[in-house]
Amino acid sequence: MRYSYEFKVDPFGDLMIVLPEEFSVFSDFIQDISTEQEVDEYIGYIKNVLERVQETFEVTLNATSVMIRKDVTIAQHHYRTAEPFENKMETEEFIELLLIWKEKVAEIYKS
C-alpha cells in the first residue's frame, strides 16, 4: 500500500480506517463495509472493470459512493457539510486498501 493508514475506533465503537485527508472519503466508504463477503463482492466489481468486462461500475453505500474506472476510482460523500466531498485514488491502490480492510475485518470477527 502506497498510502499511510491506521485503524481506530470511532466514538460509537465502530472500527474505522484513517487515511490521509486527500483520501478521507475513501475512509468513510470503507468503514461502511462490515463483512469479508462484501469486500469480495466489491473487489469482483473492480476486477470486472480492470478486465474490461464493464467500462465503469458504481457502488453506493449509506452516505458514500465510488465510481470505479480502470485507472482511477472516485469516492463521493453525499452528506458532508465541509470539503472534501470527493477524492480520487488509483484503482489498483483501492483494491489494496480493500484487501487490508478485509484482513482487519476477519481479524475482528475471529476475536
Side-chain angles (χ1 to χ4, degrees):
M1 180 79 214
R2 170 175 147 176
Y3 306 111
S4 65
Y5 66 91
E6 65 179 310
F7 296 104
K8 289 189 177 180
V9 176
D10 73 10
F12 302 105
D14 294 325
L15 178 68
M16 57 189 286
I17 188 167
V18 180
L19 297 164
E21 183 64 24
E22 64 266 24
F23 303 112
S24 61
V25 178
F26 283 96
S27 295
D28 294 340
F29 177 84
I30 290 170
Q31 185 175 340
D32 282 340
I33 303 172
S34 58
T35 67
E36 294 173 77
Q37 294 77 17
E38 206 175 348
V39 173
D40 288 338
E41 178 183 346
Y42 301 150
I43 289 173
Y45 299 144
I46 296 168
K47 286 182 178 179
N48 282 343
V49 171
L50 292 175
E51 294 167 3
R52 300 194 186 269
V53 173
Q54 295 175 265
E55 184 77 19
T56 63
F57 194 87
E58 184 172 9
V59 178
T60 301
L61 299 180
N62 292 335
T64 56
S65 64
V66 290
M67 175 59 72
I68 302 160
R69 296 190 174 117
K70 185 177 183 318
D71 296 323
V72 175
T73 296
I74 301 167
Q76 293 183 316
H77 198 292
H78 304 290
Y79 302 108
R80 276 191 177 180
T81 57
E83 290 193 21
F85 305 113
E86 181 178 291
N87 299 148
K88 295 179 183 180
M89 177 184 289
E90 301 88 348
T91 300
E92 293 288 344
E93 291 296 319
F94 184 48
I95 289 176
E96 288 282 325
L97 198 53
L98 288 173
L99 290 171
I100 290 166
W101 183 253
K102 179 181 175 179
E103 186 176 307
K104 189 66 173 179
V105 167
E107 178 185 310
I108 288 172
Y109 284 117
K110 287 181 184 174
S111 319

